[in-house]
Amino acid sequence: MGQTSFPDFYPDDITRLLYDWEIAPPEKKRFLLKLIASRVPWQIQVESALEEVKDPYLRVQARSLKSEITRHRLRHSFFKLTLRGNTNHYKDLEEMCVQLSSIGFPDQNYAEIKHELDRIALRVSELYDDHSGYLTDELKVQILCQVLFQEEGFVGNIQNYNDPGNSYLYQVIKSRLGIPISLSVVYLLVGQRLGLPLYGTNLPLHFLLQYESDGYFTYIDPFHGGVLLDKFTCEKFLEANGYSNSPKYFTKASTLSMIKRMCRNLIHIYRDNQTKEMENIIKDHLQILESRSTHVE
């Protein structure tokens, strides 16, 4: 991916800000780093963006600031998400999952993630075309699940459920293993490319998907190979686990609520694994989401 051709990326702008940072008094340097971070699109690796700085002296300086700029960019994305509230259009889902994934895999390459999601969506689209003469919504869902589970092998990591990699999109794409919410994210991002009416469902203990068109509705469980469920089965699952039957459990999940849930999952995993540093990093970002969120999930 050519960095300089990216429509929202201007290396000269970053160069100017780096020069301002170099001569700025100490009390202004942090603010300027935040500005630099906000100028690097989420689709681009910070390291790659900084290498586009033409001035060799500033480029060397920028390399030493990479970690701090990366941290500010991540916090900036989380802050922006809180301002958008609990919308369920998922326009920001890919950005936020990639950003969250960068915590566990700082050297990840978004181009690889995008390539895989695009390729899978194209495969589903081709099968839709093959069945165009009788393509119902139900068949659309069946084909989507067939491709993601049977052909691509996305499934729940039952043997190593508490591996933190199960919650990071980059690793889920590479390993084809995940937990319910991360696998649902893969389905959602593929479905988004195809214009499918697919939504997350924040069911306690087990995240699901729901497909809702004018003529068809079903729940989907990506963790168990994309099995289709009716509401009665979901309600029985809640009852068996001590939850009352409440409409709030079946509402469409927003990007904000999903990222919060993924953060909470990671906090529990890192706490169980006694990885205190990573636990605190995730806590810090969850706090951004919770302290500035004014909408009820």
Side-chain angles (χ1 to χ4, degrees), residues 159-174:
Q159 293 185 335
N160 199 4
Y161 192 90
N162 284 329
D163 180 351
N166 293 331
S167 295
Y168 292 122
L169 179 62
Y170 179 72
Q171 180 61 20
V172 174
I173 292 288
K174 293 184 75 69

Side-chain angles (χ1 to χ4, degrees), residues 77-131:
S77 291
F78 273 61
F79 172 78
K80 286 193 302 180
L81 180 61
T82 66
L83 300 180
R84 297 176 191 134
N86 280 296
T87 56
N88 55 28
H89 52 58
Y90 303 132
K91 292 177 182 177
D92 46 13
L93 179 62
E94 192 158 334
E95 172 185 353
M96 293 311 305
C97 288
V98 169
Q99 292 282 41
L100 178 63
S101 182
S102 71
I103 296 176
F105 296 87
D107 296 324
Q108 71 178 10
N109 187 338
Y110 169 66
E112 295 178 18
I113 297 174
K114 183 177 185 298
H115 177 270
E116 279 296 278
L117 293 172
D118 289 348
R119 181 187 63 78
I120 294 168
L122 178 60
R123 169 60 177 159
V124 176
S125 179
E126 289 172 344
L127 290 175
Y128 284 177
D129 289 343
D130 290 344
H131 299 82

Side-chain angles (χ1 to χ4, degrees), residues 1 14 26 33 39 60 94 121 143 147 177-178 187 206 229 233-234 250 261 265 270 276:
M1 185 167 92
I14 290 181
L33 285 180
R39 298 295 196 277
V60 171
E94 192 158 334
I143 290 173
V147 171
L177 298 172
Y187 276 62
H206 198 84
L229 306 169
T233 303
C234 297
F250 295 93
R261 183 163 177 162
N265 288 340
Y270 284 127
K276 193 67 177 177

Side-chain angles (χ1 to χ4, degrees), residues 73-263:
R73 182 176 71 162
L74 184 60
R75 292 177 65 87
H76 178 68
S77 291
F78 273 61
F79 172 78
K80 286 193 302 180
L81 180 61
T82 66
L83 300 180
R84 297 176 191 134
N86 280 296
T87 56
N88 55 28
H89 52 58
Y90 303 132
K91 292 177 182 177
D92 46 13
L93 179 62
E94 192 158 334
E95 172 185 353
M96 293 311 305
C97 288
V98 169
Q99 292 282 41
L100 178 63
S101 182
S102 71
I103 296 176
F105 296 87
D107 296 324
Q108 71 178 10
N109 187 338
Y110 169 66
E112 295 178 18
I113 297 174
K114 183 177 185 298
H115 177 270
E116 279 296 278
L117 293 172
D118 289 348
R119 181 187 63 78
I120 294 168
L122 178 60
R123 169 60 177 159
V124 176
S125 179
E126 289 172 344
L127 290 175
Y128 284 177
D129 289 343
D130 290 344
H131 299 82
S132 60
Y134 49 94
L135 186 63
T136 63
D137 283 302
E138 184 175 5
L139 184 55
K140 285 182 180 180
V141 172
Q142 290 172 352
I143 290 173
L144 175 70
C145 297
Q146 171 193 318
V147 171
L148 283 164
F149 173 54
Q150 295 181 11
E151 295 188 12
E152 297 295 331
F154 284 97
V155 70
N157 192 351
I158 298 174
Q159 293 185 335
N160 199 4
Y161 192 90
N162 284 329
D163 180 351
N166 293 331
S167 295
Y168 292 122
L169 179 62
Y170 179 72
Q171 180 61 20
V172 174
I173 292 288
K174 293 184 75 69
S175 70
R176 298 306 203 252
L177 298 172
I179 56 177
I181 191 167
S182 62
L183 292 167
S184 293
V185 164
V186 174
Y187 276 62
L188 283 168
L189 295 179
V190 171
Q192 193 174 56
R193 284 161 165 74
L194 298 165
L196 299 179
L198 203 60
Y199 305 91
T201 307
N202 260 318
L203 207 69
L205 302 178
H206 198 84
F207 196 90
L208 295 175
L209 294 170
Q210 55 181 279
Y211 184 100
E212 181 181 12
S213 67
D214 290 339
Y216 183 68
F217 183 94
T218 190
Y219 291 100
I220 306 169
D221 183 0
F223 188 81
H224 293 105
V227 63
L228 305 186
L229 306 169
D230 57 25
K231 191 173 183 180
F232 177 78
T233 303
C234 297
E235 290 171 343
K236 287 300 179 184
F237 169 80
L238 288 176
E239 291 176 12
N241 286 279
Y243 287 88
S244 60
N245 182 12
S246 173
K248 69 179 181 181
Y249 297 138
F250 295 93
T251 58
K252 296 171 183 174
S254 66
T255 296
L256 179 57
S257 66
M258 290 175 66
I259 298 300
K260 284 183 181 180
R261 183 163 177 162
M262 293 174 84
C263 284

Side-chain angles (χ1 to χ4, degrees), residues 1-12 39 41 43-44 48-49 52 54 111:
M1 185 167 92
Q3 306 297 344
T4 54
S5 63
F6 198 84
D8 296 322
F9 176 55
Y10 306 98
D12 290 344
R39 298 295 196 277
Q43 300 95 328
I44 298 178
S48 298
E52 295 291 334
K54 294 182 175 61

